[in-house]
Amino acid sequence: MLTLEDALRLNPDLNPNLFMPSPEDVLRSLDEPPVSEWLHFIAAEHTVERYFTVLLFVPCAEKKPYEPPRSALFRKLLSLERRFQSIYMCAVSEPLSLEPREFWNFRWRGHNMIYDAPFFPWIEKYGYRWDENIAEKVWSRLASVAHSWFKRNRERFENVIAFACPDSGYRKILRHVSVDIFVPSEECPSEEETYEENVSRIYTNERLWKALEDVIMNLER
C-alpha cells in the first residue's frame, strides 16, 4: 500500500496533512483548511494582473513544486513560457482546482500547499479503492471553482487553450470553462501507469507536445 513515507520520497517538501491517496481523502479535504481556504481564494479573490494573448491550462504533475521544476513536464512548460512570453499558465488539479502560475512554488499565505493526491483509477494497484461516484463529486465541486475563477478573469485573455487528454479529470474540472482549443483533440497515447511519473510521461509524449507547440505558434503569428 502507498504510504506517507512513499509520498515523502517523491516530494520531500510535502505537507504531511495533504497526503490524500484515496478519493475519499480528496473529497474530505475540500472542506478542511488549507484546501478549503485555497478554493475560496481561487473562486472569489484571485485575479490575473495583466492581459495575455493566451491562457494555457496545463495538467498538474506528481513532483512538486513546479518552480524550480522537478518533472520533465514542467521543465518543458517553463521553457515554453520563456519562448512565448504572452502566455499565462494555470495548472489544473485535484484537490486545488486551479494552480495559477505565480503559485507554482506552492507557498500561499504562510501555508505549504504541496500535496500528494494520485487521483486516478489505477490507485487501486497501490491499495486504495477508486470510487467513480466520489470522484464525480470532487470534479463537480472543483469545476464550480474553476468556473468562478474563469468568469472573473476571462477578459484578461484573448485565447484559451487546455492541454488535457479527452478522458482526463482535467477536462472534467474545466467542463464549465469556455476553452477555445483542446490539445490533443484525439485520444492520448497509452503509457505505463506509475505513481512516480504517470502524468509527465503522457504529456511529454513527442506527438502531444508538438501538437501543443503548433497551436501556440499559430496563435502567436
Side-chain angles (χ1 to χ4, degrees):
M1 178 171 281
L2 187 65
T3 66
L4 176 59
E5 288 69 29
D6 296 322
L8 286 167
R9 281 192 289 271
L10 183 67
N11 287 306
D13 293 327
L14 171 72
N15 180 341
N17 295 322
L18 297 183
F19 174 55
M20 295 167 278
S22 74
E24 291 91 343
D25 294 327
V26 175
L27 181 61
R28 183 170 54 252
S29 78
L30 305 186
D31 295 313
E32 298 176 351
V35 173
S36 60
E37 296 170 352
W38 170 266
L39 294 178
H40 174 79
F41 168 69
I42 293 298
E45 298 180 35
H46 178 260
T47 301
V48 178
E49 292 186 354
R50 67 177 182 85
Y51 179 84
F52 290 84
T53 303
V54 175
L55 166 60
L56 175 59
F57 289 110
V58 301
C60 61
E62 308 85 351
K63 296 177 181 179
K64 304 172 183 72
Y66 305 150
E67 187 178 38
R70 299 188 61 246
S71 69
L73 174 60
F74 277 83
R75 282 193 291 273
K76 291 176 77 70
L77 287 171
L78 290 171
S79 176
L80 189 71
E81 181 185 64
R82 289 191 291 272
R83 289 170 56 197
F84 302 102
Q85 296 183 10
S86 60
I87 295 177
Y88 180 85
M89 297 190 192
C90 186
V92 184
S93 124
E94 302 99 351
L96 300 186
S97 183
L98 300 179
E99 300 163 351
R101 170 67 179 86
E102 56 267 40
F103 298 105
W104 282 7
N105 63 358
F106 286 82
R107 302 290 168 174
W108 172 75
R109 294 183 178 174
H111 294 293
N112 173 8
M113 300 299 295
I114 294 180
Y115 64 91
D116 186 285
F119 202 77
F120 302 95
W122 50 254
I123 196 61
E124 292 193 337
K125 296 195 305 184
Y126 295 89
Y128 294 91
R129 185 174 69 92
W130 175 257
D131 187 312
E132 194 71 28
N133 291 328
I134 291 177
E136 181 54 43
K137 291 179 182 179
V138 170
W139 288 322
S140 178
R141 291 184 60 178
L142 298 182
S144 177
V145 171
H147 171 71
S148 296
W149 180 90
F150 183 75
K151 184 178 179 180
R152 188 173 58 260
N153 286 284
R154 177 64 183 94
E155 297 306 313
R156 299 287 199 278
F157 309 104
E158 183 175 341
N159 303 284
V160 182
I161 303 171
F163 191 34
C165 293
D167 60 348
S168 66
Y170 309 120
R171 288 212 190 185
K172 293 179 175 67
I173 294 171
L174 296 174
R175 67 180 67 169
H176 303 311
V177 171
S178 299
V179 174
D180 299 312
I181 304 172
F182 280 103
V183 181
S185 57
E186 69 279 359
E187 184 178 353
C188 287
S190 60
E191 295 285 347
E192 180 185 0
E193 296 168 337
T194 65
Y195 168 61
E196 292 82 7
E197 55 182 10
N198 183 67
V199 172
S200 287
R201 284 186 177 182
I202 292 172
Y203 288 94
T204 58
N205 171 275
E206 184 176 351
R207 175 173 63 82
L208 264 63
W209 189 258
K210 184 178 186 305
L212 177 63
E213 287 185 315
D214 288 347
V215 166
I216 292 172
M217 284 191 288
N218 285 336
L219 293 175
E220 289 282 321
R221 287 174 183 168

